[in-house]
Amino acid sequence: MEKNAKIYIAGHRGMVGSAIYRKLEKEGYHNILTRVSSELDLRDQKAVADFFEQEKPDYVFLAAAKVGGIVANNTYRAEFLYDNLQIQNNIINSAYVNGVKKLMFLGSSCIYPKMAPQPLKEDYLLTGTLEETNEPYAIAKIAGIKMCDAYRDQFGCNYISVMPTNLYGYNDNYHPQNSHVLPALIRRFHEAKENSAADVTIWGTGSPKREFLFADDLAEACFYLMQNYDEKGLVNIGTGEDISIKDLALLVKKIVGYEGEIKFDTSKPDGTPRKLMDVTKLHSKGWKHTIELEQGIVLAYQDFLTKWQTASAN
Ligand SMILES: NC(=O)C1=CN([C@@H]2O[C@H](COP(=O)(O)OP(=O)(O)OC[C@H]3O[C@@H](n4cnc5c(N)ncnc54)[C@H](OP(=O)(O)O)[C@@H]3O)[C@@H](O)[C@H]2O)C=CC1
Ligand SMILES: C[C@H]1O[C@H](OP(=O)(O)OP(=O)(O)OC[C@H]2O[C@@H](n3cnc4c(=O)[nH]c(N)nc43)[C@H](O)[C@@H]2O)[C@@H](O)[C@@H](O)C1=O
């Protein structure tokens, strides 16, 4: 990407989009195009077509999506399917119509079958049944991969698809029900410490395993792959290491400094038992993560504290 290229980050206010924005700024890119959802609803086909026709971006990072944790995915099933299909269809087609040089589509590790062998290799896509709680979201993400591939096959578009593992970091969503596990635990342990609560309840059995990548590391990978990867199909982005939800809870508890007990609410879903990424392809392209889990949680907790204190002061 040339330093004066016009680069559109869809979803620049979100956790991932804001990390990509910081990375591009740090690298000296100054022609970054952004719109918040209240200015441009990416589900609106005409609005997106007009925006692309007017702005003619050179490159696109597609990091806008309806996103949430296991309960949000399972509750807002229609929105996770409709919004995500609309957003990605509108952007990918408008990018083609307006001659975008390269586009990156962000999927998710939930595209893989629930019971796929571990670690998850890219060629396990579409080899089995999906996890029920996030099937609508996963189907939208699989359609996004296939859109990019079909536009490459038929029209020669250089559109690439990356599949991040579970993410956390600055600007995360700390909603008590709709967030992902890591921000949810940071908030719950923090509030329990502040209120001297005797125990903290976490969802499910604690036995599922998840892999976590700090969003700024993901942004580094996205930037690297945008310069060095031009292939059809998909590439996993992760660390290649995972942890049980119970051990994750113990780690967050330690970092936050909470001293009470942990309880499990087994009426809440566990979801996929394990989704460890095979990162062989990513490493072979020349990129590896740098922020380890404990260090990342410390950074995320500091970010949470800053925003929490700012919010309580207002
Ligand atoms: N968080 C995670 O653990 C993971 C995320 N991903 C993927 O990474 C990408 C980014 O996720 P993340 O940053 O966590 O999500 P966030 O929820 O933090 O950000 C999503 C962004 O999408 C924008 N958006 C949503 N709906 C619309 C709409 N209708 N019109 C315009 N903009 C819209 C929002 O814009 P605004 O702020 O202006 O409203 C928001 O900034 C997504 O594709 C997601 O699927 C993949 C794996 C894991
Ligand atoms: C990124 C990814 O995110 C989702 O899939 P998920 O990996 O299951 O995500 P999660 O972070 O919500 O949960 C991980 C595990 O943690 C347990 N858990 C414990 N306590 C809390 C808790 O308090 N909140 C949440 N959310 N989970 C909790 C929870 O029961 C589960 O076993 C999908 O959106 C999917 O589509 C997707 O792409």
Side-chain angles (χ1 to χ4, degrees):
M1 292 185 297
E2 317 77 49
K3 281 278 147 72
N4 61 350
K6 193 184 243 191
I7 305 174
Y8 172 45
I9 307 176
H12 74 286
R13 229 174 20 172
M15 178 173 69
V16 170
S18 60
I20 293 174
Y21 192 105
R22 286 194 295 279
K23 173 64 183 168
L24 291 179
E25 269 197 324
K26 197 173 103 190
E27 294 292 331
Y29 290 87
H30 49 83
N31 197 2
I32 306 174
L33 182 60
T34 60
R35 291 289 186 280
V36 296
S37 57
S38 55
E39 296 170 297
L40 175 63
D41 184 342
L42 293 167
R43 295 170 300 183
D44 180 336
Q45 187 180 24
K46 180 163 187 325
V48 175
D50 290 348
F51 168 72
F52 270 80
E53 193 183 355
Q54 197 179 341
E55 295 292 347
K56 301 271 183 215
D58 297 308
Y59 298 92
V60 174
F61 288 90
L62 207 179
K66 173 99 180 155
V67 179
I70 190 166
V71 164
N73 269 261
N74 202 21
T75 307
Y76 309 108
R77 297 176 73 86
E79 288 172 70
F80 272 80
L81 187 54
Y82 178 81
D83 287 16
N84 287 322
L85 284 173
Q86 289 290 105
I87 291 170
Q88 68 206 35
N89 284 349
N90 290 340
I91 292 183
I92 293 170
N93 188 60
S94 290
Y96 159 61
V97 169
N98 292 282
V100 164
K101 292 180 191 166
K102 189 165 182 178
L103 174 147
M104 173 179 281
F105 170 69
L106 282 102
S108 162
S109 58
C110 71
I111 52 127
Y112 292 111
K114 175 172 185 169
M115 302 313 284
Q118 305 286 321
L120 298 160
K121 293 184 194 300
E122 284 85 354
D123 58 14
Y124 295 165
L125 179 66
L126 292 174
T127 56
T129 307
L130 297 165
E131 154 62 22
E132 172 65 14
T133 54
N134 58 35
E135 191 188 61
Y137 176 75
I139 285 178
K141 292 295 187 186
I142 293 169
I145 299 168
K146 295 300 175 186
M147 278 283 282
C148 289
D149 286 353
Y151 276 63
R152 176 182 290 275
D153 289 342
Q154 189 176 345
F155 304 128
C157 299
N158 190 7
Y159 298 168
I160 58 173
S161 298
V162 299
M163 297 306 119
T165 190
N166 290 42
L167 305 169
Y168 68 106
Y170 304 129
N171 299 326
D172 208 342
N173 166 16
Y174 288 92
H175 189 281
Q177 275 81 45
N178 294 338
S179 65
H180 291 102
V181 62
L182 229 169
L185 294 186
I186 287 176
R187 177 171 177 171
R188 206 165 303 142
F189 281 114
H190 175 77
E191 289 179 345
K193 183 176 87 169
E194 295 285 287
N195 300 328
S196 306
D199 51 66
V200 161
T201 301
I202 69 167
W203 298 353
T205 59
S207 64
K209 295 183 93 175
R210 293 290 183 273
E211 172 183 344
F212 296 95
L213 180 71
F214 198 73
D216 284 61
D217 256 347
L218 174 75
E220 294 282 340
C222 290
F223 180 73
Y224 182 83
L225 293 170
M226 201 63 164
Q227 323 256 29
N228 296 294
Y229 174 81
D230 294 308
E231 291 168 29
K232 189 176 168 173
L234 56 161
V235 56
N236 292 337
I237 306 183
T239 63
E241 295 153 26
D242 63 1
I243 180 171
S244 74
I245 297 300
K246 183 181 176 190
D247 287 343
L248 178 74
L250 291 169
L251 184 57
V252 175
K253 177 181 179 227
K254 181 184 92 174
I255 290 167
V256 169
Y258 171 70
E259 288 178 348
E261 299 297 314
I262 295 179
K263 291 186 170 170
F264 298 91
D265 175 359
T266 52
S267 71
K268 289 282 196 303
D270 268 345
T272 310
R274 195 175 183 200
K275 38 181 180 174
L276 176 66
M277 292 294 214
D278 186 315
V279 284
T280 310
K281 185 171 175 181
L282 180 68
H283 289 180
S284 76
K285 300 289 168 200
W287 189 88
K288 191 175 183 301
H289 74 284
T290 57
I291 302 170
E292 298 301 339
L293 183 59
E294 184 158 355
Q295 180 196 0
I297 298 175
V298 170
L299 295 173
Y301 183 43
Q302 282 163 356
D303 187 57
F304 168 81
L305 286 177
T306 312
K307 283 167 190 154
W308 185 257
Q309 275 151 10
T310 312
S312 356
N314 293 329

